[in-house]
Amino acid sequence: MARKASLSGYLELLPAERLTELHMLDTLRQVFEVHGFSPLETRAVETVETLLQKGEIDQEIYAISRIHEDEGAGREAKLALRFDNTVPFARYVTENAGHLAFPFRRYQIQKVWRGERPQAGRFREFSQADIDIVGDGALPFRCDVEIAIVMARALEALRIGEFSLRVNNRKLSEGFYRSIGLTDTAAVLRIVDKLEKVGPSQVAEELRRTAGASAEQAQRALELAQIRTGDGSFAEKVRALVGDEPSALLQEGLDELSELMSVLNTRVPGRAMADLSIARGLDYYTGTVIETLLHGHEDLGSICSGGRYESLASKGKRVFPGVGLSIGVTRLLSALLSSGELAASRSVPTVVYVTLRTSEDWGAAQDVADQLRSRGISAEVALSAEKFGKQIKYADRRGIPFVWFTDDLGRHEVKDIRSGTQEETDPSSWAPPTEDLTPQIIRKTEDP
RNA sequence: GUGGGUGUAGCUCAGCUGGUAGAGCAUCGCGUUGUGGUCGCGAGGGUCGCGGGUUCAAGCCCCGUCACUCACCCCA
């Protein structure tokens, strides 16, 4: 990949790359549906008001306008492109609450737009694959667990290599920070979130400078954030750190995270890591928070994140709590394509290239192709009767595995371009090996 | 938005203290005249990002501008 894009941040793929992307999307769709998630799509456009409902503008939003908009047109609602799938989904849920059955589980794979400066793995237009479960009034914690399991399985199905879900719980973090006297928990979370990037000493310094922490408070916050275990043992470490009786909030967070880790370790062993530095910025998350690290691509940042939000959507007195995770499809795809880890075996869907002996054979060649097509075998007919060498080369350059010849007596032969073997055959019954029926998505580097 | 780097053939890049534009790969042709890939020979392909300036002369120097890219910020 790594081709120069005409516009930075707006990825356009070559056919072989797009086939790889489609394979990913098909895989995700299949995993989501087999777990009972319904497909959903929302419009590209939201009112600015909806997008900013959290109050804070921490996303670079693309506003849209009409070229011929009247000068004084202040009456129309200001519109903008969505920057994620969660906020539009929340809006959709409240609008259609009367038609939906709760708890409602859906998947949604769509493009989103952000005006941030593009960088490797950061785009201005990209696809996210979301799953969420939303309840009416209440939603069992069990849903947090299930969402994490489904996503872990989806990532496994993508065969992208080793990855870790890094999980934490905001109740745990907030409860702890409050208990040591740090009240601006949002600021603390934001600073602590940078631990991996800037290191403990700088985090401690920032805690003192911007979150009003004493040296001792900063030290204790750091100690919590540095807890990282692959099993449930994080809980003892937290309790040792707290000393006296944990607060109700902290205890709730401990219980939830313990349950999550325990189930994940049974159902998707080795994929989860309790990491108490994970905070997820200033978002709407209220409990479980998750980020995902792709091994070997740590610099990419998280490839799948999300968590529990208690009140993102509400309608009058009704509140719809939810939990969801989102895969950065474009980020993942571009990284694996440019590293060469994922590739398609050919750039076209074509399985068979039907050659032309003379220009007049075109009709007969289409008949052959149609017989193959009627059985689901993708076939393409040559446009002119060039030398066979050239016709074979045409197929070779596109990665088409088979070339078809028909002689002047109507006898058929099919050649496997890779092995060079050619044999007599019949268009009404010939079929390729199943693995050649569609382009194969090759994972070049095997899992360790 | 702030700061650094880079723009030359389809791709990756060379191009000296200014002197009329180069390589490898790719493409196309021929050898092999209707069964590709190897090999050999040959050919085509460039407003040197764009605009202005200095100079007898600018890919190279100066100014501006655009794009790309990296870091910060933020995040999938």
Side-chain angles (χ1 to χ4, degrees):
Chain A
M1 232 194 30
R3 291 180 327 284
K4 219 173 267 177
S6 55
L7 271 181
S8 172
Y10 303 90
L11 187 63
E12 289 185 338
L13 302 172
L14 290 171
E17 299 167 335
R18 172 62 174 158
L19 283 167
T20 309
E21 181 178 44
L22 279 179
H23 175 81
M24 286 180 75
L25 297 178
D26 289 346
T27 303
L28 291 175
R29 175 181 172 181
Q30 197 252 326
V31 173
F32 295 158
E33 291 193 358
V34 87
H35 285 88
F37 287 75
S38 303
L40 190 73
E41 183 166 273
T42 62
R43 49 169 134 90
V45 163
E46 296 289 336
T47 62
V48 171
E49 197 189 354
T50 300
L51 295 181
L52 300 184
Q53 66 166 351
K54 291 182 294 171
E56 301 176 45
I57 318 169
D58 44 3
Q59 301 286 353
E60 277 288 349
I61 296 174
Y62 277 112
I64 67 169
S65 63
R66 292 186 293 117
I67 291 269
H68 293 300
E69 196 163 41
D70 302 331
E71 277 304 318
R75 295 168 161 270
E76 287 181 27
K78 196 72 191 151
L79 301 179
L81 295 172
R82 62 158 176 271
F83 57 82
D84 72 6
N85 289 328
T86 309
V87 172
F89 173 58
R91 191 263 313 151
Y92 176 96
V93 166
T94 56
E95 277 181 22
N96 297 286
H99 305 282
L100 300 173
F102 293 95
F104 175 55
R105 51 180 72 203
R106 75 89 177 80
Y107 72 90
Q108 190 172 343
I109 306 175
Q110 289 189 254
K111 291 251 167 83
V112 302
W113 295 267
R114 292 180 195 175
E116 301 157 358
R117 270 282 162 71
Q119 266 170 48
R122 289 182 51 184
F123 299 88
R124 291 183 151 177
E125 176 183 68
F126 59 98
S127 295
Q128 290 193 314
D130 284 51
I131 52 172
D132 285 85
I133 307 177
V134 169
D136 183 357
L139 187 71
F141 177 74
R142 199 159 264 178
C143 291
D144 294 37
V145 177
E146 194 172 354
I147 284 281
I149 291 169
V150 175
M151 268 313 193
R153 288 189 176 153
L155 291 170
E156 281 176 348
L158 290 177
R159 294 161 65 231
I160 54 173
E162 292 295 312
F163 62 89
S164 310
L165 294 184
R166 306 203 294 168
V167 304
N168 189 16
N169 192 298
R170 280 205 159 180
K171 294 175 191 172
L172 191 164
S173 301
E174 285 194 39
F176 178 84
Y177 296 137
R178 287 228 176 86
S179 73
I180 61 169
L182 288 171
T183 47
D184 189 356
T185 53
V188 175
L189 285 170
R190 186 157 24 90
I191 295 164
V192 158
D193 197 45
K194 298 186 199 167
L195 178 59
E196 187 140 12
K197 202 166 197 174
V198 302
S201 57
Q202 199 172 327
V203 167
E205 195 200 314
E206 272 195 57
L207 283 172
R208 267 177 275 134
R209 211 178 51 233
T210 57
S214 68
E216 201 219 324
Q217 286 171 322
Q219 186 52 37
R220 294 190 68 190
L222 254 181
E223 280 173 31
L224 181 83
Q226 285 174 310
I227 293 175
R228 196 174 296 186
T229 66
D231 56 18
S233 61
F234 69 91
E236 286 95 77
K237 298 191 178 196
V238 173
R239 277 190 208 100
L241 215 53
V242 176
D244 49 318
E245 193 69 10
S247 69
L249 186 65
L250 174 50
Q251 187 58 51
E252 205 179 320
L254 276 171
D255 292 343
E256 288 189 358
L257 190 55
S258 296
E259 183 181 342
L260 181 60
M261 282 303 291
S262 158
V263 183
L264 284 176
N265 274 331
T266 341
R267 308 202 75 89
V268 283
R271 301 301 192 181
M273 172 76 70
D275 182 332
L276 305 199
S277 71
I278 300 298
R280 304 253 66 228
L282 271 174
D283 275 328
Y284 32 73
Y285 300 109
T286 51
T288 303
V289 284
I290 299 181
E291 292 194 352
T292 310
L293 221 55
L294 183 60
H295 297 195
H297 292 271
E298 285 76 7
D299 51 324
L300 204 57
S302 176
I303 54 155
C304 172
S305 337
R308 174 81 170 211
Y309 43 94
E310 218 54 57
S311 55
L312 186 62
S314 60
K315 189 179 193 179
K317 283 188 174 172
R318 275 171 96 183
V319 180
F320 303 94
V323 57
L325 275 172
S326 174
I327 297 183
V329 176
T330 306
R331 168 173 289 185
L332 199 48
L333 178 77
S334 74
L336 296 176
L337 285 176
S338 52
S339 74
E341 283 164 274
L342 282 188
S345 60
R346 55 189 194 249
S347 63
V348 292
T350 315
V351 183
V352 180
Y353 186 68
V354 184
T355 62
L356 250 40
R357 196 173 41 85
T358 72
S359 197
E360 289 66 45
D361 292 336
W362 189 82
Q366 286 290 355
D367 291 342
V368 169
D370 279 344
Q371 287 188 72
L372 297 170
R373 291 166 183 153
S374 71
R375 289 183 290 114
I377 301 163
S378 171
E380 177 182 343
V381 174
L383 290 170
S384 60
E386 289 183 293
K387 285 191 271 186
F388 282 145
K390 283 187 129 189
Q391 298 189 59
I392 292 169
K393 203 168 173 182
Y394 178 99
D396 189 34
R397 290 201 47 202
R398 289 162 179 74
I400 299 171
F402 295 97
V403 178
W404 196 279
F405 300 96
T406 306
D407 70 12
D408 51 359
L409 297 174
R411 287 177 304 206
H412 303 282
E413 290 195 353
V414 68
K415 177 194 188 87
D416 184 327
I417 217 172
R418 297 157 299 188
S419 62
T421 56
Q422 184 167 332
E423 57 187 22
E424 219 170 296
T425 189
D426 187 321
S428 65
S429 60
W430 181 85
T434 6
E435 66 266 24
D436 286 333
L437 202 54
T438 55
Q440 288 301 291
I441 304 308
I442 304 156
R443 183 175 165 75
K444 287 183 178 164
T445 342
E446 291 308 318
D447 294 272

